[in-house]
């Protein structure tokens, strides 16, 4: 019997060592992935900042070019209108409207309900999966609200707290 206890102790020790090695391996892999993602994020942020300055320089150049033939206030106003129109067009390109289908989708292919009767699952344009869980067909009961009249069973005993 003592020998079995000793073997059980060795088994636990082996399992603990294996779990420790697995944790360290996973931790190291996550660190490596995080380093790569952090570097990518910093490069995207730097790219965005440089693009912002490039856009400002372009807007200044357009304004100065217009100022050669127009009063300064009119050149600034025209530049602002041009930038506003570009921003509006970019916003429209980022959000597909209901009247025109998004790239890769057909307007007639969007069903009201999925085949099993559940709400349709909408995938984002990035293709990275569902951005949020699908809506249930019926709203869930929230605690603390009074039950509906249809849900009350007259045969059930009533308890007051």
């Amino acid at each position: 019997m003592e020998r079995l206890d000793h073997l059980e102790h060795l088994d636990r020790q082996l399992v603990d060592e294996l779990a420790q090695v697995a944790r360290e391996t996973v931790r190291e892999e996550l660190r490596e992935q995080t380093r790569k993602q952090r570097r990518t994020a910093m490069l995207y942020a730097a790219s965005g900042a440089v693009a912002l300055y490039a856009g400002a320089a372009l807007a200044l150049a357009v304004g100065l070019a217009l100022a050669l033939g127009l009063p300064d206030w009119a050149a600034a106003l025209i530049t602002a209108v041009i930038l506003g129109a570009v921003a509006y067009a970019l916003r429209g390109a980022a959000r597909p409207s209901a009247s025109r289908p998004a790239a890769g989708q057909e307007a007639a292919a969007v069903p009201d309900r999925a085949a099993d009767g559940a709400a349709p699952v909408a995938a984002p344009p990035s293709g990275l999966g569902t951005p949020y869980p699908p809506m249930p067909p019926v709203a869930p009961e929230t605690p603390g609200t009074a039950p509906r009249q249809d849900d009350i069973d007259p045969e059930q005993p009533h308890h007051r707290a």
Side-chain angles (χ1 to χ4, degrees), residues 12-31:
R12 281 189 199 152
Q13 191 175 9
L14 181 62
V15 167
D16 289 343
E17 283 184 41
L18 286 173
Q20 181 67 25
V21 168
R23 277 193 295 267
E24 289 174 5
T25 304
V26 168
R27 190 175 295 136
E28 193 60 36
E29 285 181 28
L30 287 175
R31 278 190 190 128

Side-chain angles (χ1 to χ4, degrees), residues 45-149:
S47 169
V50 170
L52 179 69
Y53 283 112
L58 179 65
L60 180 65
V62 168
L64 289 174
L66 289 173
L68 292 175
L70 298 171
D72 292 343
W73 65 268
L77 184 64
I78 291 172
T79 304
V81 169
I82 290 171
L83 289 174
V86 169
Y88 185 77
L90 289 174
R91 183 184 144 260
R95 286 205 238 160
S97 66
S99 62
R100 67 179 170 109
Q105 294 178 344
E106 299 172 7
V110 179
D112 288 334
R113 291 273 173 209
D116 61 354
V121 178
S126 65
L128 296 177
T130 305
Y132 48 84
M135 293 282 292
V138 178
E141 292 286 326
T142 56
T145 60
R148 295 182 303 205
Q149 194 65 28

Side-chain angles (χ1 to χ4, degrees), residues 1 38 49:
M1 191 68 166
R38 191 179 309 137

